[in-house]
Each structure stands twice: as structure tokens, then as C-alpha cells.
Amino acid sequence: MKVSTVLFNRVIARYCVVAGLLFINTFSLAAANAPISFTDVTKETGITFTHKNGASGGFYIIESISAGLALFDYDNDGDIDIYFLNGAALKGAKYDTPPKNELYRNDGNFKFTNVTEKSGLGDAGFGVGVAVADYDNDGDLDVYVENCGPNVLFSNNGDGTFTNVTKKAGVGDGDTIGAGACFLDIDKDGDLDLYASRYIVFSYDKNVVMIKRGYPAFTDPTVYVIEPDALYRNNSDGTFTDISDASGISKVRGTSMGVTCVDYDNDGDTDIFVANDNMANFLFQNDGTGKFEEVGLMAGVAYDFNGKAQGSMGVDIADYDNDGLLDFYVTSYELQPATLYKNLGDGLFEDVTFPSGASEGTFTSMTWGTGFADFDNDGDRDIFVVTGNLQPNIEKYSNRKFHTRNELLMNTGDGKFVNITDKAGDGMAVELSSRGAGFDDLDNDGDIDVVILNTMREPTILRNDSINDNSWIQIRLKGVKSNRNGIGSRVKVTAGELVQIEEVRSGRGYQGHHGLRLYFGLAKHKKIDKIEVRWLGGGVDVLKDVKTNQLITITEGQNSEK
């Protein structure tokens, strides 16, 4: 009965789209002075990274998908550092200096130092995706890199250096084409397991090139052989076991891109969402023991409002309307809107893209990295979308551009969004072809900044210069029985009538990682009534009467609910 009701509502919603669009356009006129502002500070940061995609004129499809990035505190000094993934020379390409991934240490005040050589994170594989977590529960953050070719697991030594432990761990994943990755605890045993997605099966001799008006172009990934993703169980001794078959993950095959993990159905275990390129998206429902069933079609997230598979790229999750349910936002191909799936409860979702205004400005460009973030700390989460065309020579045969601007959608607080890109500072005027993006507080001033990886160019670093007197809280979890980062645990923050939830996740957006710290904007509230942490392992901690405008660490069991 519930499924039938939802399907009926979807039919009715079709006739509300036009009215919704009229409302959105009217509201756009009212957003004359945007409360969010970004400044491009890239040149001031000292970051010299330039992305390479290995292009040699062969139009190999893997050129187009690189790469994600990671934001995390690698040295535990309280600052968020930046890890950029890089491509590698493909057949026919030559570089005087081989490209490699680069790590930049945050020295404060938007100044960064390249510490790649010292850290040992300068992997020279063809980097695509990355996830970060303390997989061995030793107190520091480790890094998993998805490559076109064998993946790499780097163990943090705790002294600013990393060791390649891939062979011992058993997570190289063979000669596959990687995409997004996530660390998650599939069975709530306190150890983080690993989901490694795969894009297509690629070889130079089977590369397919399209011709558009006489010019070569990248083709559809579904013309290639597709294989299932991989799931590795943590054995608690530094090694992993491939349980792709036993877990049910290998029953389906998709063109995986962005991946994220969350308890979407509120049953106390962690599920997996996979954004598939030009195929139905996957939603793997966890039965609580680490076995999964793919339920994307029944849940309503496999296809868009029109019943079509999109060229899905990145995905993020948040409770955008503060109703206590976590919603999905998925980016996609050009001439397809980025899509907002509203969580209706009972494991069902509704595509509310058009009536919500969540796709405004995303239709004409390809959309890649994305994130929900409360950029103005007003108590609801806005949406940032990075864009850029897939085809590097598109301007030769169409009126579209390779370099495009990114888009900022402000949450109006009533379940609607309005595009404020034109009014949100010079940082939003940058036009490049972007891929990965991360969102964290780089200068520890209480608001969320933006880092963007641009294909074949320098990155973009945006400082949040929004002016307001809104309060905020940042929360870092420290698991004891649960995994050390609290990944999979849910936090609920109550300040007066404002109630917000969030979960700790490893791996999100477009094949990237950010946000192990949780951020909550609190609008004009000067005090938090209650913070409730529901640990993935089952315990609950409660803090009351918490001061705002600070970063706090909550350790499992220290504020246990009696």
C-alpha cells in the first residue's frame, strides 16, 4: 500500500512541476543580496599542483574521469590538509616529470606547503578516487587511492609519513578501473571495511572513440564490458578479505562513479549508494550483518522523475529540509538536471528536483563534484555543484564550452533552493572544467570553504567570506568500541526549535573524501540544548547546554545516556 501511494503521489507531482518552477523563478528575483560569498584565494595559497589526465590524442575514456580529492587532517595538528589525485601518462603521452598525487600541509591562514615527498603519498598511478579513514584504529588517518590499475592503501605512521601496505592488506583490486571508494563498518564490529567501486573494463586495443561532426569524442561507458564492484571485510589484523560474492555486492554490475554510505532507512546499519554513469543507480540495503540487497528501483533512486537513467557522477547526502530523514543529491551529464531525491521514510524516495529548485543552473553543463553544506550557518544545508564539459574539443563542433562556472544553490529554509551564483563573490566567476570537490573549514573560522580539482589545470581554492552573526558548532567523534572516527554514527543537534542530524562518512561527492568533522550552522541560537550521538555500535552519548562557536570532540562512553 505504501509503495502504491508513493507512485500515485509521483504521478500527481508531475502536474505540480510547472507551478513549482514559476515559484522558483519568482523567488529568484528576491535573492538580490546573497548571504553567501566566496573569494578565489588560489594564488595566495602556495599550492602549485597542476592536474594531468594523460591525454595523447587517443581519446581514451579514462582521461575524462580523473579525478577526486581528499580533505583531511593527516598530521593531527587541527588543520584540514589537501590531497590532490593526478593522472598518469597514457599510451602516446610523455611528461618530462611523471605526474603523481600531491599532499599539501595546511599551515594556517590559507597557506599550504607541499609535503608529498616527505609523506610518501606521491603515488604515480592514474588516480581516480580516494577515501580516508583510520582503518586500523591506531589514532591517525589512512588513505586508500583508487587507480586505473591497481589501487593503493597507505597506512599512516603517525609521524607525517605513510607506508604502502596494499600487498599485506590485500586490497589492490587487480588491474581494474577504479572510481569512488568508502570505508564503512558493515557489521558494527568496530573495524572499518572497504567498498571499492569500478567503472568499466578498459584496454587500449578496445578503446572506442565517437565522431561528432568530424571530431573525435569520448563515448558512452556502456559500450564497454562492465564488472561488479568489490567489498572487502576488515580482518582486524591489517588484512582484508574479498567478500564481494558472499555479501551480495557482486550480483549486479554498474558503471560506478561517486559512492557514499549512510543509514538511509534508519534501521541502525550502514547502506551504500552508488552513482552509475548512464545506468540505473544502485542502493545496497544492509541487513545488519554485512549482507546487501540492491533496492534502488524500489526505493525510487535508480531513475529520475521521468523514469530515465542519468549519467550520474557524484552524490552527497544530508537532511536538507530538517525533517529527520537523510536525502540524496546526484550530479549528472549535460542536458540532464542534477537530481534531488527526498527521503519519504519507510525506505522510499521522491524526485523533487524541479519543485524544490535544486537543479537550477545545472542543466546545460555536466555536473561532477557536489556537496551539501551550510555555508551561511543559518541552520539549513545549501548545495555546491562543480561543472565542466567532458569533451575537450567540444567548442569545435558545438556552441557549448569546455570551461564552465560552478553553481551555488542556497537553501531558503522551506524545502526550496535558489541559485545565487551571480551574487556570491568572485570565487563563483571562475570558469574551468572541474571534477572533484571538497568542503571543510580550512582556516578554522567557523565556516566551510571549498577546494576544487580542475582537469588539466590548477585547482581552485575558495575562502568563505560570508558575513553574518550566525552561530555554529563543529563536532569530531572519537570511537572506543566503535571505529575510531565514529564512521556510521549519527549526531543530532537541538537548539531551540532547530533540530538537525548528520552522519560521519568516509567517501562522498565525486570520487572524493571530506567532512570527518561534522558542521552544524545554528542561525541566531547562542546555546545548544542537546547533542545526541548514536554510535554505530549501539551506545548513546548526550551532552546538554553546550556553548556554540567551537570545535568539540565527543569520545564514546564519556557522556553515556543512563
Side-chain angles (χ1 to χ4, degrees), residues 53-60 62-63 88-95 126 202-207:
N53 71 351
S56 62
F59 277 79
Y60 303 118
I62 59 177
E63 299 169 23
L90 300 177
K91 184 178 180 181
K94 294 181 180 180
Y95 295 107
F126 195 103
F202 173 82
S203 62
Y204 288 112
D205 62 324
K206 294 183 179 179
N207 187 60

Side-chain angles (χ1 to χ4, degrees), residues 57 68 135 140 224 232 238 291 319 332 367 390 421 449 501 508:
Y135 82 92
D140 45 46
Y224 293 90
Y232 295 92
K291 294 185 187 307
D319 180 9
S332 59
T367 52
L390 181 75
T421 306
D449 311 295
I501 64 167
R508 61 198 300 185

Side-chain angles (χ1 to χ4, degrees), residues 125-140:
F126 195 103
V128 179
V130 59
V132 175
D134 185 1
Y135 82 92
D136 50 5
N137 286 328
D138 66 351
D140 45 46

Side-chain angles (χ1 to χ4, degrees), residues 392-454:
N393 59 354
I394 192 169
E395 293 166 25
K396 294 180 179 179
Y397 57 83
S398 80
N399 59 2
R400 296 194 296 277
K401 298 192 300 181
F402 182 58
H403 291 158
T404 56
R405 75 173 188 179
N406 302 315
E407 303 291 339
L408 177 60
L409 299 161
M410 184 183 72
N411 193 325
T412 63
D414 58 356
K416 304 291 191 298
F417 293 86
V418 59
N419 191 312
I420 61 168
T421 306
D422 290 335
K423 309 173 185 66
D426 67 21
M428 299 306 301
V430 176
E431 291 190 1
L432 291 168
S433 188
S434 304
R435 295 295 184 267
F439 309 89
D440 259 304
D441 185 0
L442 297 180
D443 52 354
N444 291 327
D445 67 346
D447 53 34
I448 299 175
D449 311 295
V450 182
V451 181
I452 302 165
L453 186 145
N454 303 305

Side-chain angles (χ1 to χ4, degrees), residues 374-396:
D374 188 356
F375 294 113
D376 50 2
N377 287 330
D378 66 348
D380 49 48
R381 287 168 174 79
D382 314 295
I383 301 174
F384 198 104
V385 181
V386 306
T387 77
N389 208 286
L390 181 75
Q391 312 292 353
N393 59 354
I394 192 169
E395 293 166 25
K396 294 180 179 179

Side-chain angles (χ1 to χ4, degrees), residues 158-216:
D159 59 0
T161 68
F162 292 78
T163 298
N164 183 336
V165 296
T166 312
K167 185 176 181 179
K168 174 187 175 183
V171 292
D173 205 35
D175 193 22
T176 58
I177 306 301
C182 290
F183 285 99
L184 71 158
D185 186 350
I186 62 172
D187 48 9
K188 297 178 285 188
D189 66 350
D191 292 314
L192 289 172
D193 311 295
L194 176 63
Y195 188 94
S197 69
R198 299 165 178 166
Y199 186 46
I200 59 167
V201 176
F202 173 82
S203 62
Y204 288 112
D205 62 324
K206 294 183 179 179
N207 187 60
V208 180
V209 179
M210 287 195 303
I211 301 299
K212 292 190 174 184
R213 297 186 180 179
Y215 294 94

